[in-house]
Amino acid sequence: GSVRGLTTAAGMWMITAVGLAVGAGYFIPAILVAIFSLFSLYVLRYIKPLFRRDVYTSLTLVSDDVGGQLKRIEKVMEKYPFSTIQFVSFDRKLDQGVITFKISLLSREDVEWRELTHDLTQLPGVREIALDEGTVP
C-alpha cells in the first residue's frame, strides 16, 4: 500500500548529481541545487501534513451465510464517506455455512476505523473482522 525509501533514494541521486557537477567544475549550479534540495527536504516536510494521501486497506469480514449481507455491508459503508469500496470478492464455505468477504477500500489517511468496524459488527451473523494494509491497484 505505500512506497518506502523514496526520499532516501532521490536524495542519493541528488547528491550524486551535485558531486558530478562539482567534479566537472560547475560550482554555482551545484550550490544552487544543494540549497534547493535542503529547502525541499527540511522545510517542505512541515507542509506535508496539510495534504492527506490515499490509503488502500483490505477489509476481511467473516459472516454466517445470510442472504443480502453484501448489501448490508455496502449500506454501512455509505455512512462513512472517507472510504469507498474498490473491489469485493468472497469465499462461501457451503459445508460450514460461512461466507468471507474481502473488500478493497480506498480511504483517506488518518482514518479512525473504530466506528466503522463497530457498525459492521452489529450486522447479523458477523463473526470476525480484520483490517490489513492493502495493495495499490
Side-chain angles (χ1 to χ4, degrees), residues 61-118:
L61 188 139
V62 180
S63 169
D64 293 334
D65 194 358
V66 293
Q69 190 72 308
L70 182 57
K71 291 291 182 197
R72 286 192 279 281
I73 293 169
E74 289 173 342
K75 189 171 183 177
V76 169
M77 294 298 298
E78 287 174 4
K79 294 186 343 187
Y80 298 94
F82 60 76
S83 194
T84 57
I85 295 176
Q86 297 293 304
F87 180 75
V88 177
S89 66
F90 68 92
D91 178 29
R92 176 177 282 152
K93 294 188 168 94
L94 298 174
D95 59 337
Q96 298 174 5
V98 173
I99 188 165
T100 302
F101 295 95
K102 293 182 181 177
I103 304 169
S104 297
L105 300 172
L106 172 61
S107 307
R108 302 306 292 174
E109 189 175 36
D110 301 329
V111 169
E112 177 59 49
W113 293 99
R114 179 180 290 279
E115 291 179 29
L116 172 63
T117 55
H118 179 279

Side-chain angles (χ1 to χ4, degrees), residues 16-32:
T16 302
V18 168
L20 288 171
V22 168
Y26 296 107
F27 299 111
I28 300 298
I31 291 170
L32 292 174

